Amino acid sequence: MIDKRLAPYACHPASSRGRRHAEPPAPTRDAFQRDRDRIVHSTAFRRLVYKTQVFLNHEGDLFRTRLTHSLEVAQLGRSLARSLRLDEDLVETIALAHDLGHTAFGHVGQDVLDDCMKPYGGFEHNLQSLRVVDELEQRYPAFNGLNLSFESREGILKHCSRRNAELIEAREPGGVASRFLQARQPSLEAQLCNLADEVAYNAHDVDDGVRSGLIDLEQLEAAVPLVRRFLRETLAEYPGLTGKRLLFETIRRMLSAQVYDIIEATGTALAEAAPQSVDEVRDSKPLVSFSPEMREASSKLKRFLFANLYRHPQVTATRVRAEEVLRDLFAHYLGDESALPPEFEANPDRPRAIADYIAGMTDRYALKEHQRLTGKRLF
Ligand code: MG
């Protein structure tokens, strides 16, 4: 057995609640290492490279995509997990899988698809990530999906509406959706991925935002205390530093400070709550967090990015066109009985099959398909 020197409150792979379909253990990998490998080999994971995080794929080669975002979340998550003696492989699995259910074109895709699916049960990207690993991947002869461990699936289902939680609970009593109905917490590894996600996107969106020219460091210095602090600290040590090196050093210091803050605040919360098992973690209040000061600082940065980057007229203009692409595609497939690939045709719930098909599309595949079906060229 692999000794990972995990804390008692960590998810221990040997004590996993197991898989939906029984499988013999792998000789050289524990349950979570195996889950991580299954994600890396999945089709949905490879598609992330051509899915938008904030900037559309064709807008530049050096902006984050969903894939590089997921890798950054995994890197931050692993570092944090190691310091807190949590299971690194489980954190990596959840991080690499957390955005598998995202549509093309960034957040707008989820909103549009949810709107199109309103009469048919809606669309939630977290739920879709779980659907990808539970149902949509077709790689095994004996079952649909990747048959991941309970703990990986629990972490992947980050949020869920009450209605959908009840539907999952009906299919899987006491399963991954129970906690939303009982107001319990997920594992620390799942809580940690959530926060690592926020730390990662705040930092890389500052980077991409500044390099795209849509926001600048002066603006950030004036409006965001967290950036101001590390920008000034960097300039105090390297007077006259400018451009990308100033940007990168500021972000690096900001990232490190957030990581150390999480380790300290979470360490204190863990020492106070002293959970002796994952079940005690699930019954506790949320334990992975920033300090109150860093929570406030991070929220301010988030609000700045929302107002100045995600709502920038140039970003909004591409959102409008992306919305048209997805609406047209949905309407077309809903009206044409013969238009879906065979693996989706098997689902008698046609609107859901259409949502699954569209949600899986990469930015460029969606554009190509849209152009083929409508003759319109929007980008
Ligand atoms: Mg994310």
Side-chain angles (χ1 to χ4, degrees):
M1 194 172 119
I2 305 154
D3 178 10
K4 293 172 153 184
R5 306 195 186 281
L6 300 176
Y9 44 72
C11 279
H12 292 249
S15 319
S16 167
R17 284 176 54 178
R19 304 175 190 278
R20 296 198 301 166
H21 309 276
E23 288 185 75
T28 57
R29 296 170 296 164
D30 70 37
F32 305 144
Q33 291 169 336
R34 200 178 192 188
D35 286 355
R36 186 260 331 274
D37 297 348
R38 289 182 180 193
I39 298 294
V40 170
H41 290 281
S42 70
T43 307
F45 184 70
R46 282 194 299 281
R47 288 191 177 125
L48 295 178
V49 72
Y50 295 114
K51 284 187 173 187
T52 288
Q53 181 70 23
V54 173
F55 293 93
L56 295 191
N57 208 283
H58 62 260
E59 291 182 302
D61 288 348
L62 299 180
F63 297 126
R64 267 67 174 189
T65 66
R66 289 254 174 235
L67 181 68
T68 55
H69 161 70
S70 301
L71 294 173
E72 290 183 36
V73 177
Q75 181 276 317
L76 283 168
R78 284 196 81 121
S79 289
L80 286 162
R82 210 174 302 131
S83 294
L84 294 164
R85 292 167 60 219
L86 300 176
D87 194 284
E88 280 185 54
D89 297 302
L90 177 57
V91 167
E92 189 177 14
T93 303
I94 299 169
L96 295 180
H98 86 283
D99 275 350
L100 290 179
H102 260 295
T103 62
F105 309 127
H107 220 89
V108 63
Q110 126 96 26
D111 299 342
V112 174
L113 210 46
D114 185 37
D115 197 45
C116 293
M117 285 294 288
K118 271 274 138 61
Y120 317 106
F123 177 88
E124 296 177 32
H125 68 90
N126 286 301
L127 196 61
Q128 191 67 13
S129 296
L130 185 69
R131 208 169 143 68
V132 167
V133 300
D134 276 359
E135 301 293 335
L136 298 179
E137 283 288 322
Q138 300 184 346
R139 308 188 74 80
Y140 294 90
F143 46 76
N144 283 338
L146 303 175
N147 198 30
L148 302 183
S149 309
F150 173 85
E151 294 75 9
S152 298
R153 299 175 56 240
E154 172 192 43
I156 290 168
L157 190 60
K158 182 166 75 171
H159 300 293
C160 185
S161 65
R162 179 151 192 109
R163 188 182 157 277
N164 280 319
E166 283 164 355
L167 289 171
I168 297 172
E169 183 66 15
R171 290 198 302 269
E172 186 188 342
V176 285
S178 297
R179 71 181 172 96
F180 301 103
L181 304 172
Q182 300 164 354
R184 293 177 88 212
Q185 305 307 317
S187 70
L188 293 167
E189 284 82 355
Q191 295 180 35
L192 194 153
C193 275
N194 246 337
L195 197 50
D197 187 22
E198 176 180 337
V199 172
Y201 67 64
N202 275 339
H204 66 51
D205 290 348
V206 167
D207 181 355
D208 286 352
V210 171
R211 285 186 303 105
S212 69
L214 297 187
I215 54 176
D216 61 45
L217 264 178
E218 291 69 36
Q219 200 184 355
L220 281 154
E221 184 185 6
V224 185
L226 193 61
V227 175
R228 179 159 63 236
R229 180 174 147 202
F230 295 105
L231 182 77
R232 292 189 180 166
E233 197 187 280
T234 303
L235 284 171
E237 201 175 326
Y238 299 99
L241 191 68
T242 56
K244 276 191 217 163
R245 284 180 202 256
L246 176 59
L247 173 67
F248 296 153
E249 185 58 22
T250 301
I251 293 172
R252 177 167 26 247
R253 287 172 189 236
M254 187 175 89
L255 266 178
S256 298
Q258 288 179 295
V259 166
Y260 302 144
D261 183 87
I262 293 169
I263 291 168
E264 207 184 306
T266 304
T268 305
L270 283 169
E272 272 168 26
Q276 291 307 305
S277 67
V278 189
D279 275 328
E280 288 187 23
V281 166
R282 292 190 175 112
D283 285 330
S284 181
K285 63 181 171 94
L287 292 168
V288 176
S289 69
F290 284 130
S291 65
E293 303 74 48
M294 190 60 92
R295 164 48 54 216
E296 173 61 21
S298 173
S299 300
K300 270 192 183 144
L301 170 56
K302 202 193 242 188
R303 286 197 293 273
F304 173 90
L305 289 170
F306 197 86
N308 296 282
L309 182 62
Y310 313 142
R311 287 287 174 269
H312 190 284
Q314 206 171 306
V315 176
T316 309
T318 55
R319 279 173 64 95
V320 172
R321 283 178 288 168
E323 182 169 345
E324 188 177 344
V325 170
L326 295 177
R327 279 194 197 284
D328 285 351
L329 287 176
F330 192 87
H332 177 88
Y333 300 129
L334 202 59
D336 181 353
E337 288 300 316
S338 65
L340 295 188
E343 65 266 35
F344 295 98
E345 285 294 351
N347 185 352
D349 180 351
R350 186 163 175 95
R352 183 58 55 192
I354 292 169
D356 288 340
Y357 180 39
I358 292 178
M361 291 181 180
T362 60
D363 290 17
R364 58 185 194 173
Y365 183 81
L367 289 176
K368 227 170 73 184
E369 185 69 353
H370 182 259
Q371 202 185 334
R372 182 179 76 82
L373 295 172
T374 67
K376 287 190 262 183
R377 192 180 189 138
L378 291 178
F379 285 94

